[in-house]
Amino acid sequence: MKKYAMLGVVALLSGCQNAPAPQPENVPNDQVQEVVATGVPCSYSCMPNNPCVQVPEPMVLKPRVVEVVGQPSRRPCCDNISPFGSVQTYVPDAPEIYVISANRTVNSMLKEAAAFYQQAGTMKVYVDGADLKAGDLPGGAEQGTKTLKKRFAGISNVIIVESKNEAEYVVDSAVDWYDTATKTVPAIKYDMFLKSREGRLIGEWSEIIHQAEGDRSWW
């Protein structure tokens, strides 16, 4: 009996440590669902009093484009020439994501923090570049920074400065993929932060931007 019990524990431990990662299903040709791990890895011993449970991992949909690269060989001497080049996937540029997000976050800030701006007087503001939380986000984040600068420059009591050392306030932004409930279209979460020169957070505004169903546009 003890022998069978010990075998059961070994099997449980082996299954826990070697559990296969979930695979995406029904992925469109131009999209790939990837697994983003948020739980603690199942790496400790699975004991009866402390069972090792696999934490469900959210599926985050991300836009991908499949491209055939390379030219087929045209040498007339060969009969077994493949007409195809190599296939690679890449994330397309989508600067509109960042422009839309920057505009919306500034609109929210002007509405919600109107009293602050009215009382602040002349403000020297430095707009920092976006902090990209994932390496495979669509290209064009610099357009969001340019949009923030343009919008803040349009505020009557704001002076845009090009150095943090000159600034009284700093505007930061951060971008990451967003896990939607339906998982039918990709989505981006855009955060904008207004901080004092000392780093004290004054306000934070966020926008979720989705890709339209059956379209490559974002809204």
Side-chain angles (χ1 to χ4, degrees):
M1 181 62 68
K2 292 183 179 180
K3 180 178 179 181
Y4 291 122
M6 180 61 70
L7 289 175
V9 171
V10 171
L12 178 61
L13 177 58
S14 176
C16 175
Q17 292 178 335
N18 300 305
Q23 299 298 321
E25 299 179 356
N26 301 324
V27 181
N29 291 334
D30 63 341
Q31 294 174 331
V32 171
Q33 290 180 319
E34 294 186 354
V35 177
V36 177
T38 58
V40 177
C42 184
S43 58
Y44 53 88
S45 298
C46 298
M47 303 301 293
N49 295 330
N50 187 20
C52 182
V53 179
Q54 290 290 335
V55 179
E57 298 174 335
M59 301 293 293
V60 179
L61 193 63
K62 306 179 182 183
R64 292 289 186 279
V65 174
V66 178
E67 181 185 49
V68 177
V69 296
Q71 296 295 326
S73 173
R74 297 184 180 278
R75 292 176 298 168
C77 63
C78 307
D79 297 328
N80 58 347
I81 300 173
S82 172
F84 304 105
S86 61
V87 177
Q88 68 177 12
T89 60
Y90 67 95
V91 181
D93 288 346
E96 66 273 16
I97 295 175
Y98 308 103
V99 173
I100 294 170
S101 301
N103 275 314
R104 290 182 180 177
T105 51
V106 173
N107 289 343
S108 297
M109 179 199 67
L110 292 175
K111 182 184 298 183
E112 298 172 9
F116 169 79
Y117 282 95
Q118 293 170 2
Q119 299 173 5
T122 302
M123 302 169 56
K124 293 183 179 180
V125 176
Y126 175 78
V127 179
D128 207 348
D131 178 15
L132 304 182
K133 301 296 186 180
D136 57 353
L137 287 162
E142 67 280 358
Q143 295 302 319
T145 303
K146 290 181 180 178
T147 302
L148 289 179
K149 286 185 177 180
K150 183 177 179 180
R151 291 298 306 276
F152 273 89
I155 301 174
S156 60
N157 62 329
V158 169
I159 299 174
I160 297 295
V161 296
E162 298 302 323
S163 170
K164 282 187 178 182
N165 295 330
E166 304 175 45
E168 298 170 318
Y169 299 93
V170 176
V171 174
D172 291 329
S173 56
V175 191
D176 201 355
W177 293 109
Y178 183 74
D179 180 29
T180 60
T182 61
K183 307 183 192 305
T184 57
V185 293
I188 299 292
K189 186 173 184 288
Y190 187 97
D191 298 309
M192 186 185 75
F193 310 94
L194 177 64
K195 302 176 182 178
S196 68
R197 175 169 47 196
E198 296 77 20
R200 178 175 59 87
L201 181 64
I202 296 172
E204 175 182 352
W205 296 269
S206 299
E207 286 291 332
I208 306 298
I209 306 298
H210 299 79
Q211 192 174 46
E213 289 274 9
D215 193 357
R216 294 192 182 277
S217 63
W218 294 75
W219 53 270

